[in-house]
Short mmCIF file of all heavy atoms in Angstrom, two decimals:
data_model
loop_
_atom_site.label_atom_id
_atom_site.label_comp_id
_atom_site.label_asym_id
_atom_site.label_seq_id
_atom_site.Cartn_x
_atom_site.Cartn_y
_atom_site.Cartn_z
N LEU A 171 1.20 8.77 16.97
CA LEU A 171 1.81 8.41 15.69
C LEU A 171 0.94 7.40 14.92
O LEU A 171 0.05 6.79 15.51
CB LEU A 171 3.20 7.75 15.95
CG LEU A 171 4.23 8.63 16.66
CD1 LEU A 171 5.48 7.82 16.97
CD2 LEU A 171 4.56 9.83 15.82
N ASP A 172 1.20 7.27 13.66
CA ASP A 172 0.51 6.25 12.86
C ASP A 172 0.83 4.90 13.43
O ASP A 172 2.03 4.52 13.54
CB ASP A 172 0.97 6.34 11.39
CG ASP A 172 0.19 5.43 10.46
OD1 ASP A 172 -0.34 4.42 10.92
OD2 ASP A 172 0.16 5.72 9.25
N PRO A 173 -0.14 4.11 13.83
CA PRO A 173 0.13 2.78 14.43
C PRO A 173 0.84 1.80 13.49
O PRO A 173 1.52 0.92 13.92
CB PRO A 173 -1.26 2.29 14.85
CG PRO A 173 -2.21 2.96 13.93
CD PRO A 173 -1.59 4.34 13.76
N GLU A 174 0.58 1.97 12.21
CA GLU A 174 1.23 1.08 11.20
C GLU A 174 2.58 1.71 10.82
O GLU A 174 2.74 2.43 9.83
CB GLU A 174 0.35 0.96 9.98
CG GLU A 174 -1.08 0.50 10.29
CD GLU A 174 -1.11 -0.86 10.93
OE1 GLU A 174 -0.15 -1.63 10.75
OE2 GLU A 174 -2.10 -1.15 11.63
N ASP A 175 3.60 1.44 11.62
CA ASP A 175 4.89 2.08 11.44
C ASP A 175 5.57 1.73 10.14
O ASP A 175 6.44 2.46 9.69
CB ASP A 175 5.80 1.80 12.68
CG ASP A 175 6.02 0.29 12.84
OD1 ASP A 175 5.07 -0.48 12.54
OD2 ASP A 175 7.08 -0.09 13.32
N HIS A 176 5.25 0.58 9.58
CA HIS A 176 5.92 0.17 8.35
C HIS A 176 4.98 0.25 7.13
O HIS A 176 5.27 -0.31 6.09
CB HIS A 176 6.43 -1.26 8.46
CG HIS A 176 7.67 -1.37 9.37
ND1 HIS A 176 8.81 -0.71 9.11
CD2 HIS A 176 7.86 -2.04 10.50
CE1 HIS A 176 9.71 -1.03 10.04
NE2 HIS A 176 9.11 -1.76 10.92
N GLY A 177 3.86 0.91 7.27
CA GLY A 177 2.93 0.97 6.16
C GLY A 177 1.66 0.19 6.41
O GLY A 177 1.46 -0.34 7.50
N LYS A 178 0.82 0.09 5.45
CA LYS A 178 -0.50 -0.52 5.63
C LYS A 178 -0.58 -1.96 5.15
O LYS A 178 -1.44 -2.71 5.56
CB LYS A 178 -1.54 0.29 4.87
CG LYS A 178 -1.50 1.82 5.12
CD LYS A 178 -1.69 2.16 6.59
CE LYS A 178 -1.68 3.66 6.78
NZ LYS A 178 -1.80 4.07 8.15
N GLY A 179 0.26 -2.34 4.22
CA GLY A 179 0.16 -3.67 3.58
C GLY A 179 0.90 -4.77 4.36
O GLY A 179 1.76 -4.53 5.20
N PHE A 180 0.54 -5.99 4.01
CA PHE A 180 1.10 -7.19 4.69
C PHE A 180 2.62 -7.27 4.47
O PHE A 180 3.35 -7.69 5.35
CB PHE A 180 0.42 -8.46 4.12
CG PHE A 180 0.94 -9.69 4.74
CD1 PHE A 180 0.62 -10.06 6.08
CD2 PHE A 180 1.72 -10.58 4.04
CE1 PHE A 180 1.09 -11.22 6.62
CE2 PHE A 180 2.20 -11.78 4.58
CZ PHE A 180 1.87 -12.09 5.87
N LEU A 181 3.11 -6.83 3.33
CA LEU A 181 4.51 -6.91 2.99
C LEU A 181 5.31 -5.67 3.33
O LEU A 181 6.53 -5.59 3.11
CB LEU A 181 4.70 -7.24 1.51
CG LEU A 181 4.08 -8.55 1.01
CD1 LEU A 181 4.31 -8.68 -0.50
CD2 LEU A 181 4.68 -9.76 1.75
N ASP A 182 4.62 -4.62 3.83
CA ASP A 182 5.29 -3.33 4.06
C ASP A 182 6.31 -3.34 5.18
O ASP A 182 7.06 -2.37 5.34
CB ASP A 182 4.25 -2.22 4.29
CG ASP A 182 3.49 -1.89 3.04
OD1 ASP A 182 3.99 -2.24 1.93
OD2 ASP A 182 2.43 -1.32 3.14
N SER A 183 6.35 -4.39 5.98
CA SER A 183 7.34 -4.43 7.04
C SER A 183 8.71 -4.89 6.55
O SER A 183 9.69 -4.85 7.30
CB SER A 183 6.87 -5.41 8.17
OG SER A 183 6.74 -6.72 7.65
N VAL A 184 8.78 -5.36 5.29
CA VAL A 184 10.09 -5.71 4.71
C VAL A 184 10.79 -4.42 4.29
O VAL A 184 10.33 -3.71 3.43
CB VAL A 184 9.89 -6.63 3.46
CG1 VAL A 184 11.25 -6.98 2.88
CG2 VAL A 184 9.16 -7.91 3.87
N PRO A 185 11.94 -4.11 4.91
CA PRO A 185 12.60 -2.81 4.69
C PRO A 185 12.95 -2.56 3.21
O PRO A 185 13.53 -3.45 2.55
CB PRO A 185 13.85 -2.95 5.53
CG PRO A 185 13.53 -3.93 6.61
CD PRO A 185 12.62 -4.91 5.96
N ALA A 186 12.62 -1.39 2.73
CA ALA A 186 12.93 -1.00 1.33
C ALA A 186 14.41 -0.86 1.12
O ALA A 186 14.90 -0.93 0.00
CB ALA A 186 12.15 0.21 0.94
N ALA A 187 15.17 -0.58 2.20
CA ALA A 187 16.60 -0.31 2.07
C ALA A 187 17.45 -1.56 1.94
O ALA A 187 18.67 -1.48 1.72
CB ALA A 187 17.07 0.49 3.27
N LEU A 188 16.85 -2.78 2.07
CA LEU A 188 17.63 -3.98 1.94
C LEU A 188 18.20 -4.08 0.52
O LEU A 188 17.60 -3.53 -0.44
CB LEU A 188 16.72 -5.20 2.19
CG LEU A 188 16.33 -5.52 3.62
CD1 LEU A 188 15.29 -6.64 3.65
CD2 LEU A 188 17.54 -5.88 4.48
N PRO A 189 19.32 -4.79 0.33
CA PRO A 189 19.79 -5.07 -1.04
C PRO A 189 18.66 -5.73 -1.81
O PRO A 189 17.90 -6.56 -1.24
CB PRO A 189 20.96 -6.03 -0.82
CG PRO A 189 21.44 -5.71 0.57
CD PRO A 189 20.21 -5.36 1.33
N ALA A 190 18.55 -5.47 -3.11
CA ALA A 190 17.36 -5.87 -3.87
C ALA A 190 17.13 -7.40 -3.87
O ALA A 190 16.03 -7.87 -3.74
CB ALA A 190 17.49 -5.36 -5.28
N LEU A 191 18.22 -8.15 -3.98
CA LEU A 191 18.08 -9.64 -3.96
C LEU A 191 17.54 -10.11 -2.62
O LEU A 191 16.67 -10.98 -2.54
CB LEU A 191 19.42 -10.31 -4.30
CG LEU A 191 19.93 -10.18 -5.73
CD1 LEU A 191 21.26 -10.88 -5.86
CD2 LEU A 191 18.96 -10.77 -6.73
N THR A 192 18.09 -9.53 -1.57
CA THR A 192 17.64 -9.93 -0.21
C THR A 192 16.23 -9.51 0.04
O THR A 192 15.42 -10.27 0.62
CB THR A 192 18.58 -9.25 0.86
OG1 THR A 192 19.91 -9.77 0.70
CG2 THR A 192 18.12 -9.63 2.27
N ARG A 193 15.83 -8.32 -0.43
CA ARG A 193 14.48 -7.88 -0.25
C ARG A 193 13.50 -8.76 -1.03
O ARG A 193 12.39 -9.08 -0.56
CB ARG A 193 14.30 -6.42 -0.71
CG ARG A 193 12.94 -5.84 -0.38
CD ARG A 193 12.92 -4.37 -0.46
NE ARG A 193 11.60 -3.83 0.00
CZ ARG A 193 10.71 -3.24 -0.75
NH1 ARG A 193 11.00 -3.05 -2.02
NH2 ARG A 193 9.57 -2.81 -0.29
N ALA A 194 13.93 -9.15 -2.23
CA ALA A 194 13.04 -10.07 -3.02
C ALA A 194 12.83 -11.35 -2.25
O ALA A 194 11.69 -11.89 -2.19
CB ALA A 194 13.74 -10.35 -4.35
N LEU A 195 13.89 -11.88 -1.65
CA LEU A 195 13.76 -13.14 -0.86
C LEU A 195 12.82 -12.94 0.33
O LEU A 195 11.93 -13.75 0.58
CB LEU A 195 15.15 -13.55 -0.35
CG LEU A 195 15.21 -14.76 0.57
CD1 LEU A 195 14.68 -16.02 -0.12
CD2 LEU A 195 16.62 -14.96 1.09
N LYS A 196 13.00 -11.84 1.05
CA LYS A 196 12.16 -11.54 2.24
C LYS A 196 10.68 -11.38 1.83
O LYS A 196 9.79 -11.85 2.55
CB LYS A 196 12.66 -10.30 2.97
CG LYS A 196 14.09 -10.41 3.51
CD LYS A 196 14.19 -11.52 4.57
CE LYS A 196 15.61 -11.52 5.16
NZ LYS A 196 15.74 -12.63 6.15
N LEU A 197 10.44 -10.68 0.72
CA LEU A 197 9.05 -10.47 0.31
C LEU A 197 8.44 -11.84 -0.07
O LEU A 197 7.27 -12.09 0.30
CB LEU A 197 9.06 -9.56 -0.95
CG LEU A 197 9.35 -8.09 -0.72
CD1 LEU A 197 9.59 -7.37 -2.04
CD2 LEU A 197 8.23 -7.40 0.09
N GLN A 198 9.18 -12.67 -0.74
CA GLN A 198 8.68 -13.97 -1.15
C GLN A 198 8.40 -14.86 0.09
O GLN A 198 7.39 -15.55 0.16
CB GLN A 198 9.67 -14.65 -2.08
CG GLN A 198 9.76 -13.98 -3.45
CD GLN A 198 10.98 -14.48 -4.22
OE1 GLN A 198 11.66 -15.41 -3.82
NE2 GLN A 198 11.21 -13.86 -5.35
N GLU A 199 9.34 -14.82 1.05
CA GLU A 199 9.16 -15.62 2.24
C GLU A 199 7.92 -15.22 3.03
O GLU A 199 7.17 -16.07 3.51
CB GLU A 199 10.40 -15.51 3.14
CG GLU A 199 11.63 -16.19 2.64
CD GLU A 199 12.87 -15.95 3.51
OE1 GLU A 199 12.92 -14.96 4.26
OE2 GLU A 199 13.79 -16.77 3.44
N LYS A 200 7.68 -13.90 3.10
CA LYS A 200 6.54 -13.44 3.87
C LYS A 200 5.25 -13.79 3.18
O LYS A 200 4.27 -14.20 3.81
CB LYS A 200 6.63 -11.95 4.14
CG LYS A 200 5.55 -11.44 5.11
CD LYS A 200 5.94 -10.12 5.74
CE LYS A 200 4.90 -9.79 6.83
NZ LYS A 200 5.14 -8.47 7.45
N ALA A 201 5.24 -13.62 1.85
CA ALA A 201 4.01 -13.98 1.10
C ALA A 201 3.73 -15.48 1.21
O ALA A 201 2.55 -15.89 1.25
CB ALA A 201 4.17 -13.59 -0.39
N ALA A 202 4.80 -16.28 1.27
CA ALA A 202 4.65 -17.74 1.38
C ALA A 202 3.98 -18.11 2.70
O ALA A 202 3.32 -19.18 2.78
CB ALA A 202 6.01 -18.37 1.25
N ARG A 203 4.14 -17.32 3.72
CA ARG A 203 3.54 -17.67 5.04
C ARG A 203 2.01 -17.75 4.96
O ARG A 203 1.39 -18.39 5.78
CB ARG A 203 3.94 -16.59 6.09
CG ARG A 203 5.43 -16.60 6.42
CD ARG A 203 5.75 -15.50 7.46
NE ARG A 203 7.16 -15.20 7.51
CZ ARG A 203 7.66 -14.17 8.15
NH1 ARG A 203 6.85 -13.31 8.80
NH2 ARG A 203 8.98 -13.95 8.18
N VAL A 204 1.43 -17.02 4.02
CA VAL A 204 -0.02 -17.03 3.90
C VAL A 204 -0.45 -17.85 2.66
O VAL A 204 -1.57 -17.71 2.18
CB VAL A 204 -0.64 -15.61 3.85
CG1 VAL A 204 -0.44 -14.90 5.14
CG2 VAL A 204 0.04 -14.80 2.72
N GLY A 205 0.45 -18.70 2.16
CA GLY A 205 0.12 -19.62 1.12
C GLY A 205 0.35 -19.12 -0.30
O GLY A 205 0.02 -19.84 -1.25
N PHE A 206 0.83 -17.89 -0.48
CA PHE A 206 1.08 -17.36 -1.82
C PHE A 206 2.45 -17.82 -2.26
O PHE A 206 3.42 -17.06 -2.07
CB PHE A 206 0.93 -15.85 -1.82
CG PHE A 206 0.83 -15.26 -3.22
CD1 PHE A 206 -0.32 -15.37 -3.97
CD2 PHE A 206 1.93 -14.59 -3.77
CE1 PHE A 206 -0.39 -14.83 -5.26
CE2 PHE A 206 1.90 -14.07 -5.06
CZ PHE A 206 0.71 -14.19 -5.80
N ASP A 207 2.55 -18.99 -2.88
CA ASP A 207 3.85 -19.55 -3.16
C ASP A 207 3.74 -20.71 -4.16
O ASP A 207 2.64 -21.25 -4.32
CB ASP A 207 4.49 -20.09 -1.86
CG ASP A 207 6.01 -20.32 -2.00
OD1 ASP A 207 6.58 -19.88 -3.00
OD2 ASP A 207 6.57 -20.97 -1.09
N TRP A 208 4.83 -21.03 -4.80
CA TRP A 208 4.88 -22.20 -5.64
C TRP A 208 4.95 -23.45 -4.75
O TRP A 208 5.56 -23.40 -3.66
CB TRP A 208 6.12 -22.18 -6.52
CG TRP A 208 6.18 -21.01 -7.47
CD1 TRP A 208 6.69 -19.78 -7.23
CD2 TRP A 208 5.67 -21.00 -8.82
NE1 TRP A 208 6.53 -19.00 -8.33
CE2 TRP A 208 5.94 -19.69 -9.33
CE3 TRP A 208 5.06 -21.90 -9.62
CZ2 TRP A 208 5.59 -19.30 -10.63
CZ3 TRP A 208 4.69 -21.53 -10.92
CH2 TRP A 208 4.96 -20.25 -11.42
N SER A 209 4.38 -24.51 -5.17
CA SER A 209 4.38 -25.75 -4.36
C SER A 209 5.74 -26.48 -4.45
O SER A 209 6.10 -27.25 -3.52
CB SER A 209 3.27 -26.70 -4.77
OG SER A 209 3.40 -27.06 -6.17
N GLU A 210 6.48 -26.27 -5.53
CA GLU A 210 7.76 -26.90 -5.72
C GLU A 210 8.63 -26.04 -6.65
O GLU A 210 8.16 -25.04 -7.23
CB GLU A 210 7.59 -28.30 -6.26
CG GLU A 210 6.80 -28.37 -7.59
CD GLU A 210 6.59 -29.77 -8.08
OE1 GLU A 210 7.25 -30.67 -7.51
OE2 GLU A 210 5.77 -29.97 -8.96
N ALA A 211 9.90 -26.48 -6.78
CA ALA A 211 10.86 -25.66 -7.53
C ALA A 211 10.69 -25.77 -9.05
O ALA A 211 10.87 -24.77 -9.76
CB ALA A 211 12.25 -25.99 -7.08
N ALA A 212 10.36 -26.96 -9.53
CA ALA A 212 10.39 -27.22 -10.97
C ALA A 212 9.59 -26.20 -11.82
O ALA A 212 10.10 -25.73 -12.84
CB ALA A 212 9.90 -28.64 -11.26
N PRO A 213 8.34 -25.88 -11.44
CA PRO A 213 7.62 -24.90 -12.29
C PRO A 213 8.22 -23.55 -12.36
O PRO A 213 7.94 -22.76 -13.27
CB PRO A 213 6.23 -24.84 -11.58
CG PRO A 213 6.15 -26.10 -10.76
CD PRO A 213 7.55 -26.36 -10.35
N ILE A 214 9.11 -23.18 -11.39
CA ILE A 214 9.71 -21.90 -11.39
C ILE A 214 10.72 -21.80 -12.52
O ILE A 214 10.92 -20.70 -13.10
CB ILE A 214 10.40 -21.60 -10.03
CG1 ILE A 214 9.40 -21.78 -8.88
CG2 ILE A 214 10.93 -20.17 -10.00
CD1 ILE A 214 10.00 -21.58 -7.51
N LEU A 215 11.31 -22.92 -12.95
CA LEU A 215 12.17 -22.90 -14.10
C LEU A 215 11.39 -22.48 -15.34
O LEU A 215 11.89 -21.72 -16.19
CB LEU A 215 12.81 -24.30 -14.29
CG LEU A 215 13.93 -24.66 -13.31
CD1 LEU A 215 14.27 -26.15 -13.44
CD2 LEU A 215 15.18 -23.81 -13.58
N ASP A 216 10.18 -23.00 -15.45
CA ASP A 216 9.31 -22.62 -16.56
C ASP A 216 9.01 -21.11 -16.52
O ASP A 216 8.99 -20.43 -17.53
CB ASP A 216 8.03 -23.39 -16.56
CG ASP A 216 8.22 -24.91 -16.75
OD1 ASP A 216 9.20 -25.27 -17.44
OD2 ASP A 216 7.41 -25.66 -16.23
N LYS A 217 8.81 -20.61 -15.29
CA LYS A 217 8.52 -19.21 -15.11
C LYS A 217 9.73 -18.35 -15.56
O LYS A 217 9.58 -17.28 -16.18
CB LYS A 217 8.17 -18.91 -13.66
CG LYS A 217 7.85 -17.44 -13.35
CD LYS A 217 6.62 -16.98 -14.12
CE LYS A 217 6.27 -15.56 -13.75
NZ LYS A 217 5.11 -15.04 -14.52
N ILE A 218 10.91 -18.82 -15.20
CA ILE A 218 12.16 -18.12 -15.57
C ILE A 218 12.28 -18.06 -17.09
O ILE A 218 12.61 -17.00 -17.67
CB ILE A 218 13.40 -18.78 -14.97
CG1 ILE A 218 13.35 -18.62 -13.40
CG2 ILE A 218 14.68 -18.19 -15.54
CD1 ILE A 218 14.45 -19.38 -12.68
#
């Protein structure tokens, strides 16, 4: 079988069938593990 059971990318292990809000959270959490994240909450308000 294909050894990459969830796909090839770093974020592909986050199940696509999750509710969209939950999947967004999981994707963000995983990306944050490798430093791809905001340093604090305040700038995110500007992004919104």
Side-chain angles (χ1 to χ4, degrees):
L171 300 174
D172 187 335
E174 306 298 337
D175 58 328
H176 288 299
K178 311 299 182 184
F180 181 71
L181 299 178
D182 288 341
S183 62
V184 178
L188 286 173
L191 290 179
T192 299
R193 186 165 187 245
L195 175 62
K196 298 297 184 183
L197 289 168
Q198 293 167 6
E199 287 177 337
K200 189 160 188 182
R203 293 178 197 169
V204 292
F206 192 76
D207 195 13
W208 298 89
S209 59
E210 55 184 347
I214 307 178
L215 285 170
D216 297 330
K217 181 63 176 176
I218 292 173

